Amino acid sequence: MKQANILITGATGHIGTTLAKQLSAQGVPFRALVRNADNNTQTIAALPGAEIVTGDFNDAGSLANALLGIEKAFLLTNSSEQAEQLQINFVEAAIRSGLPHIVKLSQLHASAASPVRFLRYHAAVEAKIRWSGIPWTFLRPNLFMQGLMGFRDSIVHQGKFFATAGEAPISIVDTRDIAAIAAAALTTAGHEGRVYDITGPQSLTHTQLAAILSDALGKPVQYINVTDEQLLPALLQAGFPAWQAEGLIEDYAHYARGEAAAVSNAVAEVTGKPARDFAGFVKEYAPMFL
Ligand SMILES: NC(=O)c1ccc[n+]([C@@H]2O[C@H](COP(=O)([O-])OP(=O)(O)OC[C@H]3O[C@@H](n4cnc5c(N)ncnc54)[C@H](OP(=O)(O)O)[C@@H]3O)[C@@H](O)[C@H]2O)c1
């Protein structure tokens, strides 16, 4: 296989690992930036075409090293209080290295004026990238279907899951479709200057998600709508740092206002395949919820 000219950051995470697997399956070599050699790193290192480089968004020298010879980079971190600065560090390293194309994982409705902190930090990074002059592609996905895994324990043990989404429909999306768009943006021409709003094929309320889950699992699963005042301490107790827990409350309020209901055609347009639907997702993931 030829030398990698694609860099995946966030490679040990959810989307990054899925993207690495998809590129490998397509026979595309890639370099994966990882912080340390934990188990997930071994999974990626074992993929045909993978080259591992260690580095940290806090360490400019390691980013310069990771970017050597790279033509396209995928930028992703988790959402934390440091995320904006970490991603800006990467953009600055990319400017210095003369990176020809950056594909940034953002979020649907990223905006500097948003009341949702996650949407503001993504907008700030997008603005920095636009300013940088580096050709870019922004991927703005809606709520991840795989986020349901975060409710796994209560679904398995109580047949319930709890959130503050109200009865608003949300066009939730399978992360494999997000990774497939990223793979296309990194391997095919014509994605520079494009913003892809990435959604699933239909908009569903959490009550509808529960009904589809119940059918697939053959046991009742109920969605319980709770208040912010109930959810926040539960998130803190589950170990989320305050900044992230408060961000999730803001994010869910945005969903509950019905602002994330629109369905886009980006998955089909970019990958040539229809977006995966929730019923299919649940069938595949059912064993995890039993
Ligand atoms: N969840 C949703 O429904 C949703 C919807 C739309 C958009 N998003 C966006 O999706 C993104 C999260 O994607 P994900 O779930 O794939 O993330 P994830 O699984 O949490 O993975 C985060 C990755 O970032 C890496 N990372 C964090 N800090 C780093 C640092 N200082 N240096 C190097 N690497 C670092 C982590 O490496 P380690 O393994 O070393 O920690 C990990 O590989 C966020 O930007 C979020 O806003 C999420």
Side-chain angles (χ1 to χ4, degrees), residues 237-262:
Q237 204 187 341
F240 284 92
W243 188 92
Q244 270 157 278
E246 286 160 13
L248 284 168
I249 298 280
E250 292 165 2
D251 219 6
Y252 265 87
H254 164 69
Y255 299 134
R257 288 192 296 273
E259 293 168 359

Side-chain angles (χ1 to χ4, degrees), residues 11-12 17-18 20-21 24 30 32 34 37-48 50 52:
T12 52
T17 300
T18 311
K21 288 179 178 168
S24 179
F30 62 90
V34 303
D38 65 7
N39 287 340
N40 219 16
T41 301
Q42 303 310 321
T43 308
I44 296 161
L47 293 170
I52 301 293

Side-chain angles (χ1 to χ4, degrees), residues 10-16 33 35 38 55-58 76-79 86-87 105-107 121-122 141-144 255:
T12 52
H14 196 85
I15 304 260
L33 179 90
R35 277 198 280 195
D38 65 7
D56 192 304
F57 286 112
N58 279 310
L76 178 150
T77 68
N78 53 319
S79 284
L86 295 178
Q87 295 196 18
L105 193 288
S106 180
Q107 184 173 342
Y121 94 73
H122 280 303
N142 204 351
L143 184 64
F144 299 170
Y255 299 134

